[in-house]
Amino acid sequence: MDINDPVAAQSPRLHARFASLIWEFLDAGLSRTAVFYAERFFALDNTSHAARHLYCRALIDEKQYFSALALVNQDRVVCAACCELKARCSSILGRHRQAREALEQTIHLPAVGSLITSSSRASTSFPSAAAMHCRSGQMALKGNLLKDARGSFVKALELNPLIWEAFEGLCTLGSVPPVDQLIPPRQSHDMRVFKEDPALFSLGFSNGSPSVFHTPDGFRHHWSDLAHPQPFRFKEAAPFGPRDSLATEASFQFTDISFQQPVQRQPTRQAALNAPGPTGNFGRPLSSADETGPDRKKLRSDPPRPPEELSKKTAARTGSSSMTNNRRSTRLLTGGGSKSGKTIPRERRRQTTVRSKSPDSEHEDMLSNPEHFSQSPPPVGIHMEQSPPADPSYDTLSGTRGEDEQADSYIYELLRRFAKAARSLAHYQCQECIDELSDLPPRHQQSPYVLVLVGRAHYEKLDYSSAERAFQGVRSLDPFRLWDMEVYSTLLWHLQRTVELSFLAQELVNIDPSSPQTWIAIGNLFSLQKDRTQALACFRRATELDPTCAYGFTLSGHECIDEDLQKAIQFFQRALRADPRHYNAWYGLGTCYLRMSKLRLAEYHYRQSANIHPMNAVLLGCVGMTVERKGDLTDALALYDRAVEIAPDNALARYRRSKLLIYLKRYKDAIKDLEMLRNATPEEANVVFQLAKAYRLIGDTTKSAQTLAVVRDMAPRHLNKIRKLLETVPDDSTDQMEEG
């Protein structure tokens, strides 16, 4: 199934598969993974009540109550489940009157969108091994046991590659293997093999429990060997034939509008033979044995029957079964009649295969719901050798299984796309991340999580204007979102947007005053207003709420770096204890040691920061500056060249390179850089002064005098520097000018 196909994205099988995954991860305690898949499901069809309910439920488990409440309030057409979820969110937020109104409204509304309960979906009493490995890795990551965390995350993905939290954990550690190794590409699967090999049909039956959609536990058997990718399979206990709609807990119905309406399927083998019958979890199809009693027991001394006789007997049983089913349906619909006494023994003979309902309750349900007979034909028998299916049946089952394969293929390929983008961002390959996200279908591109990834990628590229547009899109789609708002607030700080930052901080305070993102935004606002004392108090509050918030410690260090270097160093070190890959903390330590004239320590910390984020031109420029001060001009020039290549618009790296080129007597190259800087920032006096110096050194006194006159008008404070330059010999290249 092509993920860019809009028709395939509306498949009921695909929607049901998403619902199964979401509930599986909710039951396992992996609510962040459930939010990821719920957002993908809601992006496919934002008008579906089912998708909205699951998305809201996942957000509630992640304690994003305002986002969940806004989600159920978006749709004008409400159902009982919408009101119930609204009441749940309102109760948690302390809005008890609104909760009561929602509950009262629930009583009078139809349950067309009611949430699935344990009686109508399969659930596990204990999380799978993959989920336990993932949760163990999360605890190891918080406990700073990085090696153990990585092992747990890798093991979780080996057992179940669909666990998004495990992959995000590896991205946090920064040691993400290639996606093709963790989540191997699917091999093409020809559905014709199921026609050629009828034995494959019985692989999905186990203990008479039909369940079309497998659970992530099935990956435990199929993905243990990453060196040999295998096709995306179903759980071994899942048959691929027809199943009952609500007759068993293993069946899971999930449609666009309601959880109670059965999914429309293709006719099964019984329907192909025009033999409708009552629903139920039967171990075999109805046959003439139901009327005449069981067949004679076959003895060992009996000679084997020829194939012709077997085929004739099978055909006779099929015809008798059709007549019997019609008669039985007529009696049930008319109230039983005089022959109702024969029905009870037949129901008792079938009770060994019925799991979720007793014979009496099953009989009462069929009497009260006549439409139940035509909507859910009886399933195919477990023992296929007793009643071999005809060719049309093979086509039907192959088509059903093919639809499930296509649904799993869609989810799997979509997961791989997101994994590649997340891995690129974790390695700070920002342009690759943006390219991967641009290949997603438009429905997913306009989702909050995708826009957050785009915004963070542009932010790391120092493209602040594009990052601002992306985060504005996030805020328009989810105005109550708390995740990643600390990055957005820092972005507004860089852009000097005081009004927007003040509004964001006030919004976050109203949403959740006990969130670290809220206090980081408030601290950035005070920092932008030059109130360092209040900013430090807000950052300290953020770290108190979340001791693992490395960003709060880093911002605290930057606030006091101009006043107390030792205190700033302590903050940066605490940030690295919380997150060893926080490159901003490494950069802060390098700046502290550079101000203390400890060039060796400064170079070490700058290089550590640049190794984590090799595509940051500012970090490469800082490394080049320390190397230049140590006297290694060749390496310094190479670092400046690399920084300018990564970010041609980075003025600081280009300015430092131009000064070094002047010292190396490469005047023409220096003039080229300085003229570009002058066109980009004509009000910068230091750039104009260096340009006048370069003109003087190449002997162009006219341009030099004109440029010095511009410097004198722009910055009269540079008169002493201008006078000193005019007193020097034009070809004296050993003269070191002040740092601009």
Side-chain angles (χ1 to χ4, degrees):
M1 181 182 291
D2 186 7
I3 65 173
N4 294 311
D5 185 3
V7 178
Q10 300 302 320
S11 171
R13 295 280 184 176
L14 178 60
H15 292 188
R17 184 69 183 104
F18 266 117
S20 178
L21 277 177
I22 295 166
W23 278 116
E24 190 72 28
F25 290 123
L26 285 175
D27 292 339
L30 302 177
S31 54
R32 193 64 183 261
T33 303
V35 170
F36 172 76
Y37 287 107
E39 184 177 322
R40 307 278 65 76
F41 184 20
F42 186 70
L44 289 180
D45 187 5
N46 55 11
T47 62
S48 170
H49 277 256
R52 189 181 302 274
H53 299 160
L54 287 174
Y55 194 11
C56 180
R57 172 63 186 275
L59 289 173
I60 290 175
D61 282 15
E62 274 295 301
K63 300 181 180 180
Q64 303 297 311
Y65 306 119
F66 280 95
S67 296
L69 184 60
L71 190 65
V72 295
N73 286 333
Q74 285 179 0
D75 198 355
R76 297 181 180 179
V77 180
V78 296
C79 63
C82 291
C83 294
E84 194 276 333
L85 290 171
K86 181 179 179 180
R88 187 181 304 184
C89 295
S90 300
S91 176
I92 295 174
L93 296 174
R95 303 176 180 180
H96 302 295
R97 293 185 178 181
Q98 297 181 8
R100 179 190 175 279
E101 293 176 359
L103 290 175
E104 290 292 332
Q105 191 177 4
T106 304
I107 302 174
H108 305 288
L109 285 175
V112 295
S114 58
L115 286 171
I116 296 179
T117 60
S118 58
S119 62
S120 58
R121 66 177 179 90
S123 61
T124 55
S125 58
F126 193 79
S128 63
M132 300 304 292
H133 279 295
C134 179
R135 291 162 60 180
S136 175
Q138 291 173 340
M139 295 301 103
L141 182 61
K142 292 183 178 180
N144 208 16
L145 302 174
L146 305 184
K147 185 177 180 180
D148 295 336
R150 186 183 187 280
S152 297
F153 288 141
V154 171
K155 186 63 177 177
L157 290 174
E158 289 179 359
L159 298 176
N160 184 356
L162 296 180
I163 300 181
W164 182 248
E165 287 174 75
F167 191 86
E168 279 189 330
L170 290 177
C171 292
T172 302
L173 293 172
S175 57
V176 189
V179 175
D180 290 340
Q181 178 182 347
L182 284 176
I183 312 175
R186 291 192 58 192
Q187 297 179 359
S188 60
H189 189 70
D190 191 355
M191 294 305 297
R192 288 177 297 178
V193 298
F194 299 105
K195 291 185 180 181
E196 298 170 359
D197 189 0
L200 293 178
F201 281 100
S202 61
L203 293 178
F205 293 91
S206 175
N207 300 327
S209 175
S211 178
V212 170
F213 303 105
H214 69 84
T215 63
D217 294 338
F219 289 98
R220 189 178 307 166
H221 309 289
H222 307 312
W223 295 93
S224 59
D225 189 1
L226 296 180
H228 302 283
Q230 299 181 9
F232 194 83
R233 299 181 181 177
F234 291 86
K235 189 176 179 181
E236 293 185 0
F240 305 106
R243 60 195 174 117
D244 302 306
S245 59
L246 294 175
T248 173
E249 294 181 4
S251 62
F252 183 49
Q253 297 290 344
F254 194 99
T255 63
D256 292 342
I257 300 177
S258 171
F259 290 94
Q260 296 180 348
Q261 297 176 354
V263 176
Q264 299 296 329
R265 298 184 181 84
Q266 298 178 359
T268 59
R269 177 164 58 92
Q270 293 289 342
L273 296 175
N274 298 323
T279 59
N281 260 349
F282 304 109
R284 57 178 175 81
L286 295 175
S287 64
S288 59
D290 296 318
E291 296 291 340
T292 60
D295 293 339
R296 184 179 67 88
K297 183 177 180 181
K298 182 178 179 181
L299 302 178
R300 294 184 179 180
S301 59
D302 293 343
R305 299 180 180 179
E308 295 79 2
E309 184 179 351
L310 289 175
S311 60
K312 292 180 180 179
K313 185 172 182 179
T314 303
R317 285 190 176 186
T318 305
S320 177
S321 174
S322 176
M323 296 174 60
T324 303
N325 292 339
N326 289 332
R327 292 196 302 271
R328 182 170 304 174
S329 301
T330 304
R331 287 198 301 271
L332 289 174
L333 292 173
T334 55
S338 60
K339 296 183 180 182
S340 60
K342 291 185 179 182
T343 305
I344 297 178
R346 285 196 299 274
E347 294 293 331
R348 290 178 178 174
R349 284 198 300 272
R350 288 195 300 271
Q351 69 182 358
T352 57
T353 60
V354 177
R355 295 173 47 191
S356 59
K357 294 187 177 182
S358 63
D360 295 334
S361 63
E362 181 74 14
H363 182 66
E364 293 173 0
D365 290 344
M366 290 187 292
L367 288 173
S368 60
N369 189 9
E371 297 179 358
H372 192 57
F373 306 122
S374 60
Q375 294 180 354
S376 296
V380 180
I382 296 179
H383 303 288
M384 303 301 295
E385 68 276 7
Q386 294 183 1
S387 55
D391 290 340
S393 175
Y394 279 77
D395 293 335
T396 301
L397 293 178
S398 298
T400 302
R401 180 162 185 168
E403 292 177 1
D404 295 334
E405 285 280 350
Q406 290 177 359
D408 283 318
S409 176
Y410 182 97
I411 297 175
Y412 194 72
E413 182 61 27
L414 189 65
L415 174 68
R416 282 173 49 82
R417 295 277 184 92
F418 275 95
K420 290 179 181 179
R423 182 181 184 273
S424 299
L425 185 59
H427 291 168
Y428 296 101
Q429 298 169 352
C430 303
Q431 189 58 46
E432 294 184 11
C433 174
I434 296 173
D435 294 340
E436 290 290 343
L437 294 174
S438 62
D439 292 336
L440 290 172
R443 293 175 179 270
H444 294 283
Q445 290 182 7
Q446 299 303 319
S447 61
Y449 182 71
V450 173
L451 291 179
V452 164
L453 293 180
V454 173
R456 291 183 58 188
H458 284 296
Y459 174 80
E460 298 297 345
K461 288 180 61 180
L462 306 181
D463 186 1
Y464 294 145
S465 58
S466 299
E468 183 185 18
R469 288 194 297 270
F471 277 106
Q472 287 175 350
V474 175
R475 293 278 297 166
S476 63
L477 291 174
D478 188 1
F480 299 99
R481 184 183 181 93
L482 288 172
W483 296 325
D484 307 293
M485 288 299 105
E486 72 279 5
V487 179
Y488 184 35
S489 64
T490 305
L491 171 66
L492 295 176
W493 183 91
H494 283 291
L495 294 173
Q496 303 292 302
R497 303 289 175 79
T498 305
V499 177
E500 290 81 356
L501 183 55
S502 177
F503 178 76
L504 175 65
Q506 186 63 42
E507 287 278 293
L508 296 180
V509 168
N510 294 332
I511 294 172
D512 188 2
S514 61
S515 170
Q517 292 89 347
T518 299
W519 289 100
I520 287 177
I522 300 174
N524 280 328
L525 176 61
F526 283 118
S527 175
L528 188 58
Q529 297 173 349
K530 308 301 180 181
D531 192 346
R532 294 182 177 178
T533 303
Q534 293 294 332
L536 281 173
C538 294
F539 295 144
R540 182 174 63 251
R541 177 58 177 165
T543 56
E544 290 174 354
L545 293 171
D546 183 7
T548 63
C549 182
Y551 203 52
F553 291 117
T554 300
L555 294 177
S556 299
H558 283 298
E559 282 302 314
C560 56
I561 197 172
D562 294 330
E563 298 178 352
D564 191 345
L565 288 177
Q566 292 297 333
K567 189 175 182 180
I569 290 175
Q570 293 177 1
F571 279 124
F572 291 134
Q573 289 175 345
R574 294 180 66 181
L576 291 177
R577 282 194 292 269
D579 183 6
R581 292 193 72 249
H582 198 66
Y583 72 89
N584 219 325
W586 288 103
Y587 165 78
L589 284 173
T591 304
C592 291
Y593 290 124
L594 183 63
R595 295 189 178 187
M596 298 169 66
S597 298
K598 297 181 179 181
L599 297 181
R600 186 180 60 85
L601 289 175
E603 180 187 358
Y604 169 77
H605 288 88
Y606 278 143
R607 286 192 181 275
Q608 288 292 330
S609 179
N611 290 335
I612 296 173
H613 193 346
M615 303 301 294
N616 192 308
V618 175
L619 300 179
L620 292 175
C622 291
V623 178
M625 182 176 59
T626 56
V627 172
E628 181 184 359
R629 290 191 180 186
K630 289 174 63 177
D632 193 349
L633 303 183
T634 304
D635 290 346
L637 183 60
L639 288 167
Y640 290 146
D641 290 340
R642 175 61 177 162
V644 173
E645 179 185 358
I646 292 175
D649 297 333
N650 189 281
L652 185 59
R654 190 177 292 274
Y655 176 71
R656 287 172 177 168
R657 186 177 72 169
S658 65
K659 292 186 64 178
L660 182 57
L661 289 172
I662 292 175
Y663 182 78
L664 296 174
K665 298 183 180 181
R666 296 172 56 178
Y667 304 126
K668 292 183 178 180
D669 294 335
I671 290 174
K672 183 179 178 180
D673 280 344
L674 290 170
E675 287 179 346
M676 292 180 62
L677 290 174
R678 184 182 181 182
N679 295 330
T681 56
E683 71 282 355
E684 185 61 45
N686 288 323
V687 173
V688 181
F689 178 81
Q690 291 295 330
L691 183 59
K693 177 182 177 181
Y695 284 142
R696 180 176 176 78
L697 291 174
I698 64 174
D700 193 345
T701 56
T702 303
K703 286 187 176 181
S704 177
Q706 293 175 350
T707 309
L708 287 176
V710 174
V711 175
R712 183 186 58 191
D713 295 338
M714 291 176 58
R717 66 180 183 276
H718 290 322
L719 288 177
N720 292 331
K721 294 171 62 176
I722 295 173
R723 187 179 301 110
K724 184 177 180 181
L725 177 62
L726 294 175
E727 292 175 355
T728 58
V729 181
D731 60 351
D732 187 4
S733 61
T734 60
D735 183 30
Q736 291 292 323
M737 304 304 296
E738 295 181 6
E739 185 75 17

